[in-house]
Amino acid sequence: MVKRIRLFFLFLIVFSSCEQWVMPQDPGSGAVEVFDQLWEDVYARYSFFDHKNLDWEQIREEYRPEVNAEMGQLELYELLADMLFELRDGHVNLSTGFNRSRNWEWYQEFPVNYDENLIEESYLGKDYWISGPLQHQMLDDILYVNYRSFAQSISESNLQIVVERARRSRGVIIDVRNNGGGNLSNASLLASAFAEEEMVYARQRIKSGPGTGDFGSWEDMKISPREDGTYLGPVVVLTNRRSYSATTFFAQMMKVLPNAITLGDQTGGGGGTPVFGELTNGWTYRFSATQTIDLEDRQLEDGVLADLRVDLSELAVSRGEDNLIATAIAVIRSNN
Amino acid sequence: MQAYSQSSGSLFLSTGIQDFTSRDQGFSPQKYSGIRSMSTAIFQLHKPQKTELFQFDFAYGPLENRIGNSMNAMTIGFLTYTYYHKRKTGEKNLHWGWSNQNLFNIRSHNGFSNYSLRYDYFTSLGPSVRYIMPLQWKGQHFEWHTLSHLQVVGFQVKSGYIGANPDGYSGENTTIGNFFESMEPFIIGKDWNFGLTSSFYWELPSENKLGVNYRLDVSGLQGSQPVASFGNALLLVLKVKLW
């Protein structure tokens, strides 16, 4: 019996210590290891190498020689941030606690086309309605709705008020200029209030392997009419280059509706849903891992083009007018 | 009636803690570890030449990696054992048989805004062995049970390269269609699942038993994003004789 008990404990010790065999130690946290982890993960999961004609191996050859075991955290951060900047993607960030890298060129090099003070002074005024994140005001017989971030959730009751006011108007202007995105479900909910029937507005595919062209199949993205009531009159959506990510998706949803158009500048893009990752030194990052195309196979990453291209006029602003809103009002009136 | 009288049924209820480590390459190359709560219920049907055990497992708890990021990990398992043996019992014995493992793991990462949920499931068959050794000490009856299983062949479904949905999953397919599109084989050598359970029981005057149970669970599923886990658990067990 003693022999069997000894044998059992021998097995137990052997099996209990097999954790190292099942799960080897985490990768190292030195500068070289951290660089390699980030470079490899981006190479394996980033979705726009082919679309943007980026040679990630070439980028490695450029940056890898600058990494050494002695470099400080700040130096390493700057090197990795510069490398990620090459992706030209607003959904790419490296977060370190002391700084967050980003590429905001998707709007910085383009006209702003939006003046928040002008909106408040000349259009929202002092008695505008606030329904959750939706700020709305009647401009004579047209409802103007301003939504500044899709990260702020819309409730059904918020939306119901907007729909009821829209029904008493000749048309609706939805201003999502400078809306940098947020939660796609808020975009779908808002668009559902203006849809008559279920419609495919885009198609999306997700990375499915380490090759730059490894993707799953294209899947339809749809909007459905809101069950508690919709407004099917004319709708104009105002966009600019700072309309990004979920706002780009919202613009595309509205663009396919027969009763809606987009007006202003094209959106900034952000058509890839970001996936997250972590490095062994404690830093985290994200980058796009999907592709989304419109019904004409155009990448939403490049932005959604405005149906009616209009820039904000300095002359109009100087006389206290937003000429995009003025044009939207004219479009709605011409439809009635 | 005769068959009924020749069989016996018992229920093992146990609860305790599990030191659990998991690595899902779909989330991170880093290990996540933590202490989870774990509970198990086993129904044992003992017949003259065969013993069957039906085991339900549940474990849940937070895991953390070395840089402080966390996830919540839940495991639900259903494991059956079938052992074949001679008629006589009540003495030390080695029993051989087979087992069927059904294991579902789901992980929710607390630091990722998108693609924060991943899971894996497999069902498999493999050999199993148990050793039972009754003991007596100062007039008290004790029993030492040890059993282990090694899974050999089956199939698995697990989260895909990026998101929670398995590779091959499509919103346009039916549920059954998706299940078959997403299914991959579980084959020993490529995939692993091994378990060892050792319990020490003290027999109460009521014929029920109290015991402590040590349990080791090891799993590894390969694929585009490999998943591995390793758990050590210590549980308190109450064995209730049903008939």
Side-chain angles (χ1 to χ4, degrees):
Chain A
M1 186 179 86
V2 174
K3 187 181 169 188
R4 284 197 168 151
I5 291 174
R6 278 183 186 160
L7 193 63
F8 166 75
F9 280 106
L10 180 66
F11 274 120
L12 199 61
I13 290 165
V14 169
F15 289 133
S16 300
S17 62
C18 70
E19 183 176 352
Q20 293 303 315
W21 169 71
V22 177
M23 267 182 287
Q25 285 297 314
D26 287 343
S29 55
V32 176
E33 289 97 333
V34 166
F35 178 93
D36 287 343
Q37 285 166 41
L38 181 62
W39 183 89
E40 284 166 15
D41 194 26
V42 172
Y43 197 26
R45 298 197 293 167
Y46 185 64
S47 55
F48 291 118
F49 286 126
D50 292 344
H51 175 65
K52 296 183 178 179
N53 199 23
L54 286 167
D55 185 344
W56 197 237
E57 289 183 354
Q58 174 64 36
I59 286 168
R60 184 179 193 274
E61 281 177 29
E62 191 181 325
Y63 286 90
R64 183 67 158 73
E66 295 180 39
V67 188
N68 61 72
E70 282 74 41
M71 69 195 304
Q73 294 285 289
L74 192 56
E75 280 179 285
L76 179 63
Y77 164 75
E78 285 173 354
L79 183 79
L80 297 179
D82 288 348
M83 181 175 77
L84 292 177
F85 193 85
E86 305 266 6
L87 296 171
R88 307 193 307 274
D89 189 329
H91 274 153
V92 176
N93 302 104
L94 175 65
S95 301
T96 62
F98 58 82
N99 204 350
R100 185 165 72 108
S101 78
R102 68 271 176 185
N103 184 330
W104 286 348
E105 286 182 337
W106 45 272
Y107 76 85
Q108 284 172 332
E109 296 173 355
F110 299 95
V112 176
N113 283 327
Y114 185 68
D115 185 330
E116 195 172 310
N117 289 332
L118 178 64
I119 298 294
E120 291 203 1
E121 286 168 15
S122 302
Y123 297 95
L124 286 174
K126 292 179 179 172
D127 59 348
Y128 63 91
W129 291 36
I130 302 172
S131 305
L134 303 174
Q135 301 176 347
H136 45 108
Q137 176 67 286
M138 292 300 296
L139 306 177
D140 294 329
D141 49 2
I142 291 168
L143 181 66
Y144 171 81
V145 183
N146 191 298
Y147 188 12
R148 292 183 179 157
S149 172
F150 279 102
Q152 296 175 291
S153 292
I154 310 170
S155 69
E156 276 291 341
S157 59
N158 298 151
L159 196 53
Q160 186 61 32
I161 290 164
V162 169
V163 169
E164 283 171 13
R165 288 192 92 191
R167 284 173 177 163
R168 291 196 287 270
S169 73
R170 289 178 67 181
V172 178
I173 299 168
I174 302 174
D175 194 343
V176 288
R177 287 175 292 174
N178 277 30
N179 184 327
N183 194 330
L184 190 59
S185 62
N186 290 323
S188 301
L189 178 62
L190 183 57
S192 72
F194 306 100
E196 186 174 16
E197 58 186 349
E198 184 179 86
M199 292 186 78
V200 174
Y201 69 91
R203 287 180 296 147
Q204 190 171 62
R205 63 179 185 176
I206 190 166
K207 279 282 283 173
S208 62
T212 58
D214 290 346
F215 287 92
S217 56
W218 289 106
E219 300 282 332
D220 288 343
M221 301 183 83
K222 296 174 184 172
I223 42 169
S224 303
R226 180 169 170 267
E227 287 179 2
D228 294 335
T230 55
Y231 171 76
L232 302 176
V235 181
V236 178
V237 178
L238 306 184
T239 58
N240 67 354
R241 290 276 183 165
R242 284 192 79 163
S243 304
Y244 192 74
S245 190
T247 314
T248 286
F249 283 80
F250 176 71
Q252 180 58 29
M253 290 173 200
M254 298 302 288
K255 207 176 162 70
V256 300
L257 300 182
N259 54 322
I261 64 161
T262 57
L263 186 152
D265 199 354
Q266 69 163 82
T267 69
T273 309
V275 66
F276 287 73
E278 57 190 12
L279 299 167
T280 43
N281 63 351
W283 298 350
T284 57
Y285 55 91
R286 65 172 194 162
F287 54 78
S288 302
T290 65
Q291 291 185 342
T292 313
I293 53 171
D294 64 14
L295 304 182
E296 292 163 356
D297 294 349
R298 195 172 175 280
Q299 288 277 355
L300 264 58
E301 176 67 1
D302 301 332
V304 172
L305 299 176
D307 293 316
L308 203 54
R309 177 78 175 87
V310 182
D311 279 327
L312 191 63
S313 151
E314 283 184 26
L315 187 64
V317 172
S318 68
R319 60 172 186 263
E321 183 187 272
D322 183 321
N323 59 299
L324 277 78
I325 295 178
T327 309
I329 291 170
V331 167
I332 290 170
R333 294 234 160 96
S334 69
N335 277 342
N336 281 276
Chain B
M1 190 65 192
Q2 190 182 6
Y4 181 82
S5 63
Q6 285 179 346
S7 70
S8 65
S10 306
L11 189 64
F12 297 72
L13 298 171
S14 55
T15 190
I17 54 170
Q18 183 190 39
D19 180 8
F20 187 73
T21 302
S22 171
R23 175 183 280 145
D24 181 347
Q25 295 280 358
F27 274 146
S28 168
Q30 297 181 48
K31 292 191 285 191
Y32 280 73
S33 302
I35 303 294
R36 305 195 299 178
S37 62
M38 185 175 198
S39 297
T40 294
I42 305 171
F43 171 68
Q44 177 181 276
L45 181 62
H46 182 82
K47 293 176 182 172
Q49 290 180 307
K50 186 168 89 170
T51 301
E52 290 173 289
L53 289 94
F54 303 91
Q55 176 176 323
F56 176 78
D57 297 324
F58 178 82
Y60 180 79
L63 308 178
E64 201 172 277
N65 70 359
R66 69 181 192 190
I67 60 173
N69 287 337
S70 65
M71 66 168 72
N72 295 321
M74 183 172 78
T75 301
I76 298 172
F78 181 68
L79 181 58
T80 66
Y81 301 95
T82 303
Y83 297 108
Y84 302 94
H85 45 73
K86 292 175 187 169
R87 282 184 173 273
K88 60 180 180 180
T89 55
E91 58 188 55
K92 60 185 179 185
N93 266 310
L94 190 68
H95 300 157
W96 290 93
W98 58 276
S99 61
N100 166 225
Q101 170 75 292
N102 300 271
L103 200 63
F104 176 73
N105 285 292
I106 187 161
R107 299 167 288 281
S108 171
H109 200 287
N110 298 320
F112 298 167
S113 304
N114 301 319
Y115 306 119
S116 57
L117 198 71
R118 295 182 65 80
Y119 65 87
D120 56 81
Y121 165 78
F122 69 88
T123 181
S124 55
L125 294 168
S128 180
V129 61
R130 75 170 180 173
Y131 182 70
I132 300 173
M133 188 168 74
L135 302 162
Q136 277 199 358
W137 185 65
K138 293 190 175 178
Q140 299 290 318
H141 293 275
F142 300 92
E143 205 167 65
W144 179 40
H145 283 211
T146 296
L147 63 86
S148 71
H149 67 89
L150 176 67
Q151 300 303 308
V152 176
V153 66
F155 65 83
Q156 57 179 301
V157 175
K158 64 178 192 293
S159 288
Y161 192 67
I162 300 285
N165 288 337
D167 292 330
Y169 175 92
S170 168
E172 290 163 16
N173 290 346
T174 61
T175 306
I176 291 173
N178 271 325
F179 181 74
F180 284 107
E181 285 291 328
S182 309
M183 199 174 72
E184 295 172 50
F186 175 107
I187 299 169
I188 190 170
K190 179 174 74 72
D191 308 297
W192 294 97
N193 181 249
F194 165 79
L196 176 77
T197 299
S198 190
S199 311
F200 191 77
Y201 295 105
W202 168 50
E203 190 172 318
L204 303 172
S206 60
E207 288 190 65
N208 296 329
K209 291 176 181 174
L210 271 178
V212 287
N213 169 246
Y214 166 77
R215 194 170 147 175
L216 175 74
D217 293 286
V218 181
S219 278
L221 301 176
Q222 295 305 306
S224 59
Q225 301 288 19
V227 183
S229 66
F230 189 94
N232 287 290
L234 199 59
L235 309 168
L236 282 174
V237 194
L238 173 66
K239 179 186 175 184
V240 181
K241 187 172 167 54
L242 298 176
W243 74 82

